[in-house]
Structures are given as C-alpha cells and as structure tokens.
C-alpha cells in the first residue's frame, strides 16, 4: 500500500466510508480504539480539590490491594506484620517479593511494569528509588492531565461517599469541580451499613431511626436530594452482596424502594448496582479481604419490572452471573450492563464476557471501566482493554463481512464511540453528561 492510499484511506472522506478488506480490519480497529477517548464510568479516583483522597505515585501503585493479596502468597510476612509497616516499607516489601524475587506475570503486577515503561522508567530495578524520585518531581495537575492523555480517557467517574468523614466536609465547603472528574453518590454506608451510620444522619437533623420506622425513608430521600443538588452526580451507586434479594422487608430493601429509587427518579439519574461481593471473607487482608459469590439475579429482574421509570447501570462480580445479565439486558431497556468488574478484569475473562455481550447485545453495552484506585492505573487498565478488545471487535466485523456486509472505518468509529462514550452518555442523560462539563 503506497503512502498516498494509506493517507487517503485514513483521512480521505471516501477512505472513511470505504469497505475494508479482512487484512485491514484489525489495524483499523486498533487505530480507532487508540484515537477514541473513553469515558471511564467507574473509578475510585478523586478530583484535585478533594486533595489527599486522590492516590497516585509508585508507593500507592505497588501497595494496591490487588498486590497486597498477591504478596501474602509469595512471602512469609503475615498480614499483622505487614500492616505494622510504613507505606514505603510496605511498597518495598511488595516490590521485593512480587517484582524482584518473582516474575511480575499477574495482571496486577504487569500493570505496574506497564506504568513504569509509560514514563520511560526502568522496569527491572531492585528498588524503587528512581521511580520515587520521578513521581516526587511531578506537578500534580499537569501529571493528571498527562496520565489521562496516556490512558486515552477524556474523563473519569468518581466514587463519592456523602458519609465519608474525610470527603463529606470537602463537598459541604464547596469543592472545586473539575471537567475530567465526574461525581457519583455512593450509598454503601446507607444501604449496607445502616446500623452503623443512621446516627450520622440523625445528628445532621434528619428524622431517621435505626429500625427504619416513621419518617426514616422520607428523610433519607431528603438527604439524598440535598446531596444530589450539592454534588450533581451522574448516577447513584452501591455495591451489594451475593445474597442480595429484592423486594425484601429488611432496612436495605425498604430504603431502596422508598428512598433511593424515588430520589433517583426525582433527579432522573440511574442507580448503579454492583452485585456479588462476599465482604471480608478474610478480614486480616482488609481491603484485599473481599471475595465473590454467585448472586440470584431475580432481584434485578424484579427491580427492572417493578421500577420501569428507574434506570439500572449494573455490573455483576461472579463469572457465573454474566450470561444471565446478558439475557436480562435483552429484556429490559432500563438495564445497562457495564464493565468486567474487579476479579473479572483479567484478559482471559474480559475476552469471554465481551464476546458473549457482542453476540447477544450488539454494541448496546458498556464493555469496561477501570475501577482505578490509583491515578496511573488508568494507563495500564485501558491499554489492556484496548489490547484485549481489538481482536474481538475485528473478529466480529470479520464474521459480518463473511456473512455479506463488509464494514468501513466510519462504522467502526461509530461503534467504538458508542461502546465507550455514547451508551453511557445516553443512559445517564447526554444533556446531563455534557451540561455538567465545566
Ligand atoms: O465496590 C467497589 O466499587 C469495588 O470496586 C471496590 O470496593 C473494590 O475494592 C475494588 O477496588 C475493585 O476493583
Ligand atoms: Zn469500584
């Protein structure tokens, strides 16, 4: 192929709409994935004005709870001994055990290597001295913009907890918004830990009770309304155990039906449910101590049937629940599946889930989110997603061509934009997504 045809192929208007031959498909899919800036619909990153809540840099990367879980398999240190170390000592311990004494072949350890290389740092050092010096020299705001550019994301969606003692006051004092960080109202403390948190609402003047009687639901709805007005979240969210059942007369079931779902309708925002966690199966590992369980997704069926005015952005943690979620998604247009969450975010499983979704849902789903807890993680998590999805998408287009309809670059660009931007924007209300861009 001469350079001219390549150029006209890439930029000429007729190139954009030209039917592609099989050998071109993978390259064009890779190029369109690389040049489309994604919306990262779920992360644990924080905008600059939320200060120290936002984690970044080598010591945070290396002490990510995914790596902490792997440390205890490759080292004699006990969790008690590990938790007594300083952040730097923890990072040194993990670096030695997982990156020096063993090959970093796991998805999470490879991720750290990919980040080091992205910044041109050595990936086989015996210690973290040079990496620490590099990150210490970064100007935080410029670093954030650079990281998002390297990751190919235009914005990330945060996880904001109105009952977090460190975070809530920052919002109440009017945290400065940032166009690359979008807020979400996270409700785990209200729906999963009501017994430990109802008094906080009570102390803020809300007429709520431990057993949920009387004005509790109405007052929780008022609380959510005030936070929606303050934070302008794109959606509300909650993770749920594998035992989640709905409808249910427990406090979670009642608050969901009488406060959360109505509040979501009041502000016309989706409710995100992340279902299937077995919380703290090993508490000694702290954040790394959660597990997974197969959930009974009939709870989701009843939510979609019972609340057609509500929209549900759903991710399920168990591999065994993926097919059911695809089938339910075919039944309910108020249901949008997103991401290969947490223990599923491994290329072999992402492949399986994404193929199944393309076959059953076409391009009407959100393939992935990063769940990044440390800023630079978006670099490798989105690089892995692009690397894993390119052959899967190219194969789908190959099958389509074999069946009689070759595609163009324009088709591929439209589909990729829908998968990684359009579906989320329209499900959250595109006007809301764009309007709240400052
Ligand atoms: O509930 C969630 O949002 C989960 O993603 C987290 O709790 C989990 O710890 C995590 O970091 C998964 O990647
Ligand atoms: Zn998360």
């Amino acid at each position: 192929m001469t350079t001219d045809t390549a150029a006209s192929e890439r930029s000429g208007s007729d190139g954009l709409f030209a039917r592609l031959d099989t050998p071109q498909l993978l390259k064009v899919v890779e190029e369109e994935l690389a040049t489309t800036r994604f919306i990262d619909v779920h992360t644990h990153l924080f905008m600059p004005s939320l200060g120290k809540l936002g984690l970044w840099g080598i010591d945070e990367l290396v002490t990510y709870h995914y790596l902490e879980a792997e440390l205890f398999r490759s080292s004699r240190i006990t969790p008690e001994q590990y938790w007594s170390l300083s952040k730097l000592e923890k990072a040194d311990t993990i670096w030695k055990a997982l990156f020096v004494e063993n090959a970093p072949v796991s998805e999470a350890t490879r991720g750290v290597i990919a980040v080091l290389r992205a910044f041109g740092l050595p990936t086989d050092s015996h210690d973290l001295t040079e990496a620490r010096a590099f990150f210490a020299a970064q100007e935080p705001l410029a670093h954030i913009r650079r990281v998002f550019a390297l990751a190919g994301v235009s914005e990330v969606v945060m996880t904001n907890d109105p009952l977090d003692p460190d975070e809530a006051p920052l919002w109440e004092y009017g945290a400065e918004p940032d166009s690359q960080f979008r807020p979400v109202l996270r409700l785990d403390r209200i729906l999963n830990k009501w017994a430990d948190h109802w008094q906080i609402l009570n102390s803020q003047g809300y007429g709520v009770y431990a057993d949920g009687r009387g004005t509790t639901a109405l007052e929780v709805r008022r609380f959510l309304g005030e936070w929606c007005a303050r934070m302008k979240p794109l959606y509300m969210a909650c993770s749920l155990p594998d035992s989640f059942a709905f409808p249910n007369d427990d406090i979670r079931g009642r608050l969901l039906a009488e406060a959360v779902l109505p509040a979501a309708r009041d502000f016309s925002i989706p409710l995100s449910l992340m279902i299937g966690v077995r919380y703290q199966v090993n508490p000694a590992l702290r954040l790394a101590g959660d597990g997974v369980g197969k959930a009974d997704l009939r709870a989701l069926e009843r939510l979609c049937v019972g609340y057609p005015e509500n929209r549900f952005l759903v991710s399920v943690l168990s591999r065994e629940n993926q097919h059911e979620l695809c089938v339910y998604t075919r039944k309910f247009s108020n249901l949008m599946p997103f991401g290969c969450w947490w223990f599923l975010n491994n290329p072999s499983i992402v492949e399986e889930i994404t193929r199944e979704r393309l076959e059953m849902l076409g391009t009407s789903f959100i393939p992935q989110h990063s769940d990044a807890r440390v800023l630079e993680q978006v670099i490798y998590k989105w690089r892995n997603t692009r690397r894993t999805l390119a052959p899967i998408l190219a194969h789908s287009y190959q099958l389509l061509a074999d069946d009689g309809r070759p595609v163009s670059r324009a088709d591929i660009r439209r589909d990729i934009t829908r998968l990684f931007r359009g579906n989320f924007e329209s499900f959250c209300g595109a006007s809301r997504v764009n309007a709240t861009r400052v």
Side-chain angles (χ1 to χ4, degrees), residues 42-44 64-66 159 186 188 237-240 274 277 279 287-290 317 340-343 345 369-373 377 381:
H42 172 60
T43 75
H44 298 269
Y64 180 34
H65 71 82
Y66 289 30
T159 295
R186 183 77 181 223
D188 291 46
C238 191
S239 76
L240 293 164
M274 306 175 81
V277 188
Y279 297 102
L287 208 47
D290 294 332
L317 192 53
C340 303
W341 182 27
W342 201 345
F343 308 115
N345 193 358
H369 65 280
S370 73
D371 229 316
R373 279 183 175 272
Q377 287 173 340
K381 288 186 184 246

Side-chain angles (χ1 to χ4, degrees), residues 72 77-85 282-286:
F72 299 116
I77 192 168
T78 65
E80 296 63 42
Q81 291 165 335
Y82 174 78
W83 298 122
S84 68
L85 300 174
N282 182 356
L285 302 192
R286 302 187 185 176

Side-chain angles (χ1 to χ4, degrees), residues 40-214:
D40 192 342
V41 306
H42 172 60
T43 75
H44 298 269
L45 303 180
F46 294 94
M47 62 192 182
S49 58
L50 296 175
K52 292 217 167 327
L53 293 176
L55 305 180
W56 63 287
I58 191 64
D59 293 295
E60 296 297 346
L61 283 168
V62 174
T63 55
Y64 180 34
H65 71 82
Y66 289 30
L67 296 177
E68 290 176 331
E70 294 176 25
L71 169 70
F72 299 116
R73 300 202 49 71
S74 297
S75 154
R76 294 188 184 292
I77 192 168
T78 65
E80 296 63 42
Q81 291 165 335
Y82 174 78
W83 298 122
S84 68
L85 300 174
S86 69
K87 172 64 77 173
L88 265 63
E89 289 166 337
K90 286 187 179 111
D92 290 339
T93 303
I94 292 180
W95 183 259
K96 183 164 173 289
L98 300 183
F99 295 83
V100 178
E101 293 169 352
N102 291 286
V105 291
S106 73
E107 194 269 347
T109 49
R110 270 192 294 107
V112 176
I113 297 297
V115 171
L116 291 171
R117 193 177 70 168
F119 292 112
L121 292 164
T123 60
D124 55 0
S125 304
H126 274 266
D127 63 37
L128 298 171
T129 313
E130 191 172 343
R132 284 186 178 127
F134 168 82
F135 285 100
Q138 302 311 305
E139 190 284 311
L141 212 51
H143 184 60
I144 289 172
R145 309 301 179 209
R146 181 181 179 196
V147 166
F148 284 4
L150 284 170
V153 296
S154 61
E155 62 235 83
V156 300
V157 179
M158 303 183 281
T159 295
N160 309 102
D161 183 345
L163 292 178
D164 179 299
D166 298 324
E167 182 177 0
L170 299 171
W171 285 98
E172 284 154 353
Y173 300 141
E176 181 69 27
D178 182 297
S179 64
Q180 290 201 289
F181 293 81
R182 324 307 299 273
V184 151
L185 199 56
R186 183 77 181 223
L187 308 177
D188 291 46
R189 291 182 203 237
I190 291 175
L191 290 178
N192 297 340
K193 299 184 179 144
W194 178 253
D196 307 331
H197 294 93
W198 71 272
Q199 273 133 328
I200 300 174
L201 273 79
N202 204 267
S203 67
Q204 295 176 2
Y206 296 94
V208 299
Y209 302 90
D211 62 3
R213 71 180 187 279

